[in-house]
Amino acid sequence: MSSKKIGRPPSDKPKSQTIEIRVDQEIMSKLDAAADKLNTSRSAIVRKGIEKVFDELQK
């Protein structure tokens, strides 16, 4: 028999850090709307926002 593991392959950049934030209902609604429109997760939207702010600061 093959000794291959079943499941996802290991990630090159594993996401092992967790951030917990408090937001009001308006921000949560905007986050959910953006995630729905882009067909992605809340986490992906937050990561994209952090990258965008960081890139703007580098200019």
Side-chain angles (χ1 to χ4, degrees):
M1 295 207 107
S2 177
S3 64
K4 284 188 174 183
K5 290 185 179 180
I6 296 176
R8 289 187 162 198
S11 174
D12 292 337
K13 293 167 58 174
K15 295 168 183 69
S16 60
Q17 301 296 312
T18 302
I19 298 174
E20 186 173 332
I21 63 169
R22 295 174 59 91
V23 297
D24 60 21
Q25 186 57 47
E26 182 181 0
I27 295 296
M28 186 59 79
S29 295
K30 289 178 180 179
L31 179 59
D32 286 337
D36 286 343
K37 184 148 184 139
L38 295 173
N39 196 28
T40 190
S41 66
R42 290 175 177 169
S43 296
I45 299 294
V46 172
R47 285 186 206 105
K48 188 172 183 177
I50 292 168
E51 289 291 339
K52 186 173 184 178
V53 169
F54 184 81
D55 290 344
E56 288 178 7
L57 290 172
Q58 297 304 307
K59 292 181 182 178

